[in-house]
Amino acid sequence: MKAIKVPKPFEIVIEDVEEPEIMSETDVKIKVTSAGICGSDIGIWNGTNSLATYPRLIGHEFGGIVTATGNSVSKVKIGDKVAVDPVMSCGHCYACRIGRHNVCRDLEVMGVHRDGGMCEYVCVHEKNVHKFNKDFPENMLSVVEPFTIGVEVNRRGAIKKGDKVLIMGSGPIGIAIMQVAKKNGAEVMMTDLVESRLEKARQMGADRTVLVSEQDLDEMISDFTEGEGIPVIADTVCTPASFEQAVKLACPAGRVIVLGLKDQPSSITMADITKKELTIVGSRLNCDCFDEVIEGLEKGQLHPEKFVTHIFKYDEIQKAFDTIREHPQDVMKAVITF
Ligand code: MN
Ligand code: ZN
Protein backbone atom coordinates (compact mmCIF):
# COMPACT_ATOMS: atom_id res chain seq x y z
CA MET A 1 0.00 0.00 0.00
CA LYS A 2 1.01 3.62 -0.41
CA ALA A 3 2.13 5.54 2.67
CA ILE A 4 3.44 9.04 3.27
CA LYS A 5 6.74 8.95 5.08
CA VAL A 6 9.18 11.46 6.51
CA PRO A 7 12.48 9.50 6.46
CA LYS A 8 14.34 12.43 8.01
CA PRO A 9 13.80 16.19 8.35
CA PHE A 10 13.14 18.06 5.10
CA GLU A 11 12.28 14.91 3.16
CA ILE A 12 8.84 13.58 2.38
CA VAL A 13 8.23 10.54 0.19
CA ILE A 14 5.43 8.24 -0.90
CA GLU A 15 6.55 4.72 -0.21
CA ASP A 16 5.17 1.23 -0.81
CA VAL A 17 4.89 -0.45 2.58
CA GLU A 18 3.30 -3.69 3.70
CA GLU A 19 -0.45 -3.47 4.23
CA PRO A 20 -1.33 -4.07 7.90
CA GLU A 21 -3.59 -7.01 8.77
CA ILE A 22 -5.84 -7.81 11.72
CA MET A 23 -3.51 -9.22 14.38
CA SER A 24 -5.82 -9.49 17.38
CA GLU A 25 -9.50 -10.07 18.00
CA THR A 26 -9.92 -6.44 19.07
CA ASP A 27 -8.37 -4.97 15.89
CA VAL A 28 -10.26 -2.97 13.29
CA LYS A 29 -8.89 -2.52 9.78
CA ILE A 30 -9.73 0.76 8.10
CA LYS A 31 -9.32 1.97 4.54
CA VAL A 32 -8.23 5.55 5.11
CA THR A 33 -10.17 8.06 3.00
CA SER A 34 -8.89 11.33 4.40
CA ALA A 35 -6.05 12.61 6.56
CA GLY A 36 -5.56 16.18 7.74
CA ILE A 37 -2.24 18.01 7.70
CA CYS A 38 -1.48 19.70 11.01
CA GLY A 39 1.08 22.27 12.09
CA SER A 40 2.76 19.47 14.01
CA ASP A 41 3.19 17.46 10.77
CA ILE A 42 5.02 20.44 9.32
CA GLY A 43 7.09 20.36 12.53
CA ILE A 44 7.98 16.70 11.94
CA TRP A 45 8.95 17.56 8.38
CA ASN A 46 11.16 20.52 9.30
CA GLY A 47 12.67 18.88 12.37
CA THR A 48 11.14 21.22 14.98
CA ASN A 49 8.76 18.66 16.53
CA SER A 50 10.75 17.48 19.54
CA LEU A 51 8.39 14.55 20.17
CA ALA A 52 8.82 12.87 16.79
CA THR A 53 11.28 10.16 15.87
CA TYR A 54 12.39 9.16 12.34
CA PRO A 55 11.66 7.58 9.97
CA ARG A 56 7.95 8.20 10.52
CA LEU A 57 4.73 7.49 8.62
CA ILE A 58 2.93 10.70 9.52
CA GLY A 59 -0.75 11.53 10.08
CA HIS A 60 -2.66 11.80 13.36
CA GLU A 61 -5.89 13.26 11.92
CA PHE A 62 -7.58 10.56 9.86
CA GLY A 63 -10.67 8.55 9.18
CA GLY A 64 -12.05 6.06 6.71
CA ILE A 65 -14.18 3.00 6.14
CA VAL A 66 -14.00 -0.25 8.11
CA THR A 67 -12.91 -3.14 5.86
CA ALA A 68 -12.33 -5.92 8.43
CA THR A 69 -12.82 -6.56 12.15
CA GLY A 70 -11.34 -8.94 14.71
CA ASN A 71 -13.60 -11.65 16.14
CA SER A 72 -14.54 -9.83 19.33
CA VAL A 73 -15.19 -6.40 17.79
CA SER A 74 -18.78 -5.29 18.36
CA LYS A 75 -18.44 -1.51 18.23
CA VAL A 76 -18.19 -1.23 14.43
CA LYS A 77 -18.86 -3.35 11.38
CA ILE A 78 -17.56 -3.54 7.82
CA GLY A 79 -18.66 -0.51 5.82
CA ASP A 80 -18.96 1.86 8.79
CA LYS A 81 -17.47 5.32 8.38
CA VAL A 82 -15.16 6.06 11.28
CA ALA A 83 -12.63 8.51 12.71
CA VAL A 84 -9.59 7.22 14.58
CA ASP A 85 -8.35 8.57 17.90
CA PRO A 86 -4.53 8.62 17.55
CA VAL A 87 -3.90 8.69 21.32
CA MET A 88 -2.43 5.47 22.78
CA SER A 89 -1.91 5.01 26.51
CA CYS A 90 -0.70 2.37 28.99
CA GLY A 91 -3.88 2.05 31.05
CA HIS A 92 -1.98 1.65 34.36
CA CYS A 93 -0.24 4.91 35.30
CA TYR A 94 -1.74 7.57 37.57
CA ALA A 95 -3.14 9.66 34.70
CA CYS A 96 -4.69 6.59 33.06
CA ARG A 97 -6.19 5.39 36.34
CA ILE A 98 -7.98 8.67 36.94
CA GLY A 99 -9.33 8.81 33.39
CA ARG A 100 -6.78 11.24 31.94
CA HIS A 101 -5.11 8.85 29.50
CA ASN A 102 -4.24 11.65 27.05
CA VAL A 103 -1.39 12.59 29.40
CA CYS A 104 -0.32 8.99 30.07
CA ARG A 105 3.23 8.64 31.36
CA ASP A 106 3.95 6.41 28.35
CA LEU A 107 1.79 8.33 25.89
CA GLU A 108 2.14 7.51 22.21
CA VAL A 109 0.41 9.38 19.42
CA MET A 110 -0.04 7.77 16.02
CA GLY A 111 1.85 9.74 13.39
CA VAL A 112 4.22 11.21 15.99
CA HIS A 113 5.68 8.57 18.35
CA ARG A 114 4.55 5.67 16.17
CA ASP A 115 3.37 5.26 12.59
CA GLY A 116 0.23 7.14 11.66
CA GLY A 117 -2.65 7.33 9.26
CA MET A 118 -1.43 8.99 6.04
CA CYS A 119 -1.54 5.66 4.24
CA GLU A 120 -4.11 3.48 2.54
CA TYR A 121 -4.89 1.13 5.46
CA VAL A 122 -4.45 1.10 9.22
CA CYS A 123 -5.23 -1.49 11.89
CA VAL A 124 -6.06 -0.17 15.35
CA HIS A 125 -7.70 -1.33 18.58
CA GLU A 126 -11.47 -0.91 18.48
CA LYS A 127 -11.33 1.49 21.43
CA ASN A 128 -9.58 4.01 19.16
CA VAL A 129 -12.32 3.77 16.51
CA HIS A 130 -15.38 6.04 16.57
CA LYS A 131 -18.18 5.62 14.11
CA PHE A 132 -20.49 8.00 12.36
CA ASN A 133 -24.16 7.17 12.69
CA LYS A 134 -25.24 9.22 9.70
CA ASP A 135 -23.68 9.45 6.27
CA PHE A 136 -20.76 11.86 6.14
CA PRO A 137 -18.45 12.90 3.28
CA GLU A 138 -15.47 10.54 3.02
CA ASN A 139 -13.00 13.36 2.52
CA MET A 140 -14.16 15.05 5.75
CA LEU A 141 -13.77 12.11 8.16
CA SER A 142 -10.39 13.49 9.26
CA VAL A 143 -11.84 16.72 10.69
CA VAL A 144 -12.96 14.97 13.86
CA GLU A 145 -9.51 14.95 15.51
CA PRO A 146 -8.84 18.70 15.26
CA PHE A 147 -12.31 19.38 16.68
CA THR A 148 -11.54 17.04 19.61
CA ILE A 149 -8.77 19.48 20.55
CA GLY A 150 -11.52 22.09 20.80
CA VAL A 151 -13.68 19.85 22.99
CA GLU A 152 -10.74 19.11 25.32
CA VAL A 153 -10.02 22.84 25.73
CA ASN A 154 -13.68 23.52 26.45
CA ARG A 155 -13.75 20.76 29.06
CA ARG A 156 -10.45 21.81 30.67
CA GLY A 157 -11.64 25.42 30.81
CA ALA A 158 -15.13 24.39 32.00
CA ILE A 159 -16.61 26.58 29.25
CA LYS A 160 -20.38 26.70 29.53
CA LYS A 161 -23.49 28.61 28.54
CA GLY A 162 -23.20 32.34 29.11
CA ASP A 163 -19.39 32.37 29.45
CA LYS A 164 -17.47 35.06 27.63
CA VAL A 165 -14.40 33.52 26.07
CA LEU A 166 -11.33 35.08 24.46
CA ILE A 167 -9.45 32.87 22.01
CA MET A 168 -6.02 34.20 21.13
CA GLY A 169 -5.22 33.18 17.54
CA SER A 170 -7.62 32.28 14.70
CA GLY A 171 -5.89 29.27 13.19
CA PRO A 172 -7.55 25.85 12.93
CA ILE A 173 -7.18 25.12 16.66
CA GLY A 174 -8.68 28.50 17.59
CA ILE A 175 -11.57 27.94 15.19
CA ALA A 176 -12.21 24.45 16.58
CA ILE A 177 -12.24 25.78 20.17
CA MET A 178 -14.58 28.59 19.09
CA GLN A 179 -17.10 26.32 17.37
CA VAL A 180 -17.24 23.98 20.36
CA ALA A 181 -17.59 26.97 22.73
CA LYS A 182 -20.48 28.26 20.59
CA LYS A 183 -22.07 24.81 20.67
CA ASN A 184 -21.76 25.00 24.48
CA GLY A 185 -23.57 28.35 24.55
CA ALA A 186 -20.61 30.68 25.16
CA GLU A 187 -19.91 34.04 23.50
CA VAL A 188 -16.57 34.15 21.78
CA MET A 189 -14.09 36.88 20.85
CA MET A 190 -11.10 35.91 18.70
CA THR A 191 -7.82 37.66 17.93
CA ASP A 192 -5.34 37.49 15.08
CA LEU A 193 -2.72 39.56 13.27
CA VAL A 194 -4.31 38.91 9.88
CA GLU A 195 -7.68 40.42 8.91
CA SER A 196 -8.52 37.69 6.35
CA ARG A 197 -8.30 35.08 9.11
CA LEU A 198 -10.61 37.13 11.34
CA GLU A 199 -13.02 37.45 8.44
CA LYS A 200 -13.08 33.64 8.22
CA ALA A 201 -13.47 33.39 11.99
CA ARG A 202 -16.58 35.60 11.83
CA GLN A 203 -18.00 33.57 8.94
CA MET A 204 -17.47 30.42 10.99
CA GLY A 205 -19.22 31.77 14.08
CA ALA A 206 -17.01 34.10 16.15
CA ASP A 207 -19.14 36.81 17.82
CA ARG A 208 -16.38 39.40 17.83
CA THR A 209 -12.88 39.67 16.44
CA VAL A 210 -9.89 41.84 17.26
CA LEU A 211 -7.12 42.70 14.82
CA VAL A 212 -4.45 43.02 17.49
CA SER A 213 -2.01 44.80 15.17
CA GLU A 214 -4.44 47.71 14.84
CA GLN A 215 -7.13 47.53 17.51
CA ASP A 216 -6.79 47.95 21.27
CA LEU A 217 -7.44 44.54 22.82
CA ASP A 218 -8.04 45.92 26.35
CA GLU A 219 -10.68 48.31 25.04
CA MET A 220 -12.35 45.62 22.94
CA ILE A 221 -12.47 43.23 25.91
CA SER A 222 -13.90 45.97 28.12
CA ASP A 223 -16.63 46.60 25.58
CA PHE A 224 -17.32 42.85 25.13
CA THR A 225 -17.63 42.26 28.89
CA GLU A 226 -19.16 45.60 29.96
CA GLY A 227 -16.00 46.50 31.83
CA GLU A 228 -15.80 43.30 33.81
CA GLY A 229 -12.76 41.72 32.16
CA ILE A 230 -12.54 38.37 30.43
CA PRO A 231 -13.17 35.24 32.52
CA VAL A 232 -11.95 32.56 30.09
CA ILE A 233 -8.92 32.75 27.80
CA ALA A 234 -7.57 30.04 25.50
CA ASP A 235 -4.10 30.80 24.18
CA THR A 236 -3.47 29.20 20.78
CA VAL A 237 -0.69 31.66 19.92
CA CYS A 238 1.56 29.73 22.30
CA THR A 239 4.48 32.10 22.74
CA PRO A 240 6.06 33.11 26.08
CA ALA A 241 4.54 36.59 25.57
CA SER A 242 1.03 35.35 24.74
CA PHE A 243 0.94 33.27 27.93
CA GLU A 244 2.00 36.32 29.96
CA GLN A 245 -0.66 38.40 28.24
CA ALA A 246 -3.38 35.79 28.88
CA VAL A 247 -2.58 35.77 32.61
CA LYS A 248 -2.69 39.59 32.72
CA LEU A 249 -5.96 39.82 30.77
CA ALA A 250 -7.88 37.26 32.83
CA CYS A 251 -10.35 38.81 35.27
CA PRO A 252 -10.49 37.74 38.95
CA ALA A 253 -11.53 34.08 39.30
CA GLY A 254 -10.75 33.61 35.61
CA ARG A 255 -9.48 30.54 33.77
CA VAL A 256 -6.55 30.39 31.36
CA ILE A 257 -6.14 27.38 29.08
CA VAL A 258 -2.62 26.77 27.80
CA LEU A 259 -1.92 24.68 24.68
CA GLY A 260 1.72 25.43 23.87
CA LEU A 261 4.52 22.87 23.90
CA LYS A 262 7.46 25.27 23.73
CA ASP A 263 9.93 25.02 26.58
CA GLN A 264 10.76 28.73 26.79
CA PRO A 265 9.87 30.47 30.07
CA SER A 266 7.31 33.24 30.53
CA SER A 267 7.55 35.90 33.22
CA ILE A 268 4.63 35.24 35.50
CA THR A 269 4.69 35.97 39.20
CA MET A 270 2.94 34.18 42.03
CA ALA A 271 1.00 37.36 42.71
CA ASP A 272 -0.33 37.34 39.13
CA ILE A 273 -2.01 34.04 39.90
CA THR A 274 -2.81 34.34 43.60
CA LYS A 275 -4.32 37.82 43.66
CA LYS A 276 -6.98 36.88 41.11
CA GLU A 277 -7.08 33.23 42.20
CA LEU A 278 -6.69 32.22 38.56
CA THR A 279 -7.11 28.69 37.31
CA ILE A 280 -4.38 27.98 34.77
CA VAL A 281 -4.73 24.62 33.05
CA GLY A 282 -2.91 22.79 30.28
CA SER A 283 -4.87 21.10 27.51
CA ARG A 284 -3.24 18.40 25.43
CA LEU A 285 -4.66 16.21 22.65
CA ASN A 286 -8.06 14.82 23.65
CA CYS A 287 -9.49 12.60 26.35
CA ASP A 288 -12.42 10.62 24.91
CA CYS A 289 -13.75 13.60 22.95
CA PHE A 290 -14.43 11.87 19.62
CA ASP A 291 -18.06 10.96 20.20
CA GLU A 292 -18.98 14.50 21.28
CA VAL A 293 -17.45 15.85 18.05
CA ILE A 294 -19.20 13.30 15.83
CA GLU A 295 -22.51 14.12 17.50
CA GLY A 296 -21.86 17.85 17.03
CA LEU A 297 -21.08 17.31 13.35
CA GLU A 298 -24.14 15.14 12.82
CA LYS A 299 -26.43 17.61 14.57
CA GLY A 300 -25.00 20.48 12.54
CA GLN A 301 -23.61 22.21 15.65
CA LEU A 302 -20.06 22.07 14.30
CA HIS A 303 -19.29 23.34 10.80
CA PRO A 304 -16.40 21.69 8.98
CA GLU A 305 -17.29 23.07 5.52
CA LYS A 306 -15.32 26.31 5.74
CA PHE A 307 -12.76 24.69 8.05
CA VAL A 308 -11.30 22.50 5.30
CA THR A 309 -9.92 24.95 2.74
CA HIS A 310 -7.71 22.64 0.64
CA ILE A 311 -8.05 19.03 -0.52
CA PHE A 312 -5.14 17.20 -2.19
CA LYS A 313 -4.73 13.64 -3.45
CA TYR A 314 -2.08 11.66 -1.59
CA ASP A 315 0.38 11.84 -4.49
CA GLU A 316 0.23 15.64 -4.24
CA ILE A 317 1.65 15.63 -0.71
CA GLN A 318 4.69 17.69 -1.70
CA LYS A 319 2.41 20.28 -3.30
CA ALA A 320 0.25 20.31 -0.18
CA PHE A 321 3.25 20.98 2.08
CA ASP A 322 4.55 23.65 -0.31
CA THR A 323 1.14 25.36 -0.37
CA ILE A 324 0.98 25.44 3.43
CA ARG A 325 4.50 26.84 3.70
CA GLU A 326 4.08 29.43 0.95
CA HIS A 327 0.53 30.56 1.79
CA PRO A 328 0.07 29.86 5.51
CA GLN A 329 -2.62 32.52 5.83
CA ASP A 330 -4.82 31.04 3.11
CA VAL A 331 -4.75 27.48 4.39
CA MET A 332 -7.00 26.74 7.36
CA LYS A 333 -6.98 22.95 7.12
CA ALA A 334 -5.57 20.94 4.23
CA VAL A 335 -6.73 17.35 3.77
CA ILE A 336 -5.07 14.50 1.89
CA THR A 337 -7.36 11.94 0.26
CA PHE A 338 -6.61 8.31 -0.54
MN1 MN B 1 -3.46 18.06 14.63
ZN1 ZN C 1 -0.81 5.52 31.32
Side-chain angles (χ1 to χ4, degrees):
M1 67 165 185
K2 303 290 182 196
I4 294 172
K5 184 179 192 174
V6 178
K8 57 179 195 229
F10 297 104
E11 241 180 63
I12 190 155
V13 294
I14 297 165
E15 213 171 80
D16 278 303
V17 301
E18 204 177 329
E19 190 174 310
E21 297 300 340
I22 301 270
M23 299 292 279
S24 103
E25 57 177 18
T26 53
D27 274 355
V28 177
K29 182 170 174 176
I30 295 151
K31 180 177 163 40
V32 176
T33 57
S34 83
I37 302 177
C38 180
S40 64
D41 295 316
I42 304 290
I44 295 173
W45 175 78
N46 67 21
T48 59
N49 186 323
S50 61
L51 303 170
T53 50
Y54 302 89
R56 179 62 56 233
L57 300 187
I58 58 171
H60 60 272
E61 307 176 0
F62 60 100
I65 297 164
V66 174
T67 58
T69 58
N71 288 333
S72 76
V73 172
S74 56
K75 198 173 166 185
V76 293
K77 59 181 190 311
I78 292 172
D80 281 345
K81 287 184 174 176
V82 297
V84 179
D85 187 344
V87 177
M88 310 257 175
S89 52
C90 78
H92 312 296
C93 71
Y94 173 73
C96 284
R97 289 201 311 276
I98 65 161
R100 303 267 299 273
H101 71 102
N102 56 316
V103 286
C104 172
R105 192 179 54 186
D106 297 317
L107 177 73
E108 287 199 323
V109 180
M110 291 180 76
V112 183
H113 309 85
R114 60 161 82 185
D115 285 341
M118 272 193 207
C119 52
E120 290 181 281
Y121 291 91
V122 292
C123 275
V124 292
H125 194 286
E126 68 171 327
K127 70 171 188 261
N128 289 74
V129 179
H130 299 270
K131 81 167 188 176
F132 283 76
N133 301 297
K134 293 185 187 166
D135 198 28
F136 200 76
E138 282 181 14
N139 58 11
M140 288 285 197
L141 296 173
S142 59
V143 303
V144 180
E145 198 275 347
F147 276 104
T148 65
I149 307 297
V151 170
E152 181 72 11
V153 166
N154 272 258
R155 290 186 189 173
R156 295 287 293 147
I159 294 171
K160 57 190 181 304
K161 192 170 163 52
D163 275 337
K164 290 194 171 165
V165 177
L166 176 72
I167 299 171
M168 298 165 74
S170 297
I173 300 290
I175 296 291
I177 298 167
M178 177 270 289
Q179 290 205 351
V180 176
K182 293 295 295 175
K183 172 173 92 67
N184 291 340
E187 271 183 79
V188 181
M189 176 182 262
M190 299 188 75
T191 72
D192 210 274
L193 291 164
V194 180
E195 175 52 32
S196 61
R197 302 225 300 184
L198 293 174
E199 165 87 50
K200 274 192 199 130
R202 289 191 295 272
Q203 288 170 6
M204 284 185 265
D207 297 292
R208 302 204 189 188
T209 58
V210 186
L211 185 62
V212 282
S213 48
E214 285 177 22
Q215 292 172 301
D216 186 321
L217 182 57
D218 287 307
E219 238 170 63
M220 302 284 280
I221 288 174
S222 181
D223 185 59
F224 181 44
T225 63
E226 282 125 36
E228 199 158 57
I230 194 82
V232 187
I233 304 176
D235 174 19
T236 75
V237 175
C238 307
T239 62
S242 66
F243 180 31
E244 287 165 18
Q245 190 183 22
V247 168
K248 289 208 168 62
L249 289 172
C251 75
R255 287 103 76 192
V256 176
I257 307 109
V258 181
L259 289 106
L261 280 166
K262 291 198 182 80
D263 57 3
Q264 297 143 343
S266 300
S267 274
I268 289 163
T269 67
M270 288 171 261
D272 290 333
I273 300 169
T274 309
K275 271 176 160 172
K276 297 192 279 188
E277 208 175 55
L278 296 183
T279 302
I280 300 177
V281 294
S283 186
R284 185 173 186 194
L285 299 162
N286 88 94
C287 189
D288 299 322
C289 299
F290 269 66
D291 292 329
E292 179 177 332
V293 171
I294 291 172
E295 189 187 336
L297 291 167
E298 291 183 337
K299 285 186 173 167
Q301 299 164 318
L302 300 173
H303 309 282
E305 313 81 27
K306 291 198 174 87
F307 186 74
V308 174
T309 50
H310 294 70
I311 296 178
F312 298 92
K313 294 198 74 166
Y314 78 91
D315 55 2
E316 299 176 306
I317 184 69
Q318 188 64 55
K319 185 177 159 197
F321 269 56
D322 291 345
T323 306
I324 295 168
R325 274 188 307 126
E326 286 159 22
H327 310 281
Q329 289 156 12
D330 302 334
V331 182
M332 180 66 72
K333 178 59 72 182
V335 161
I336 299 293
T337 61
F338 283 89

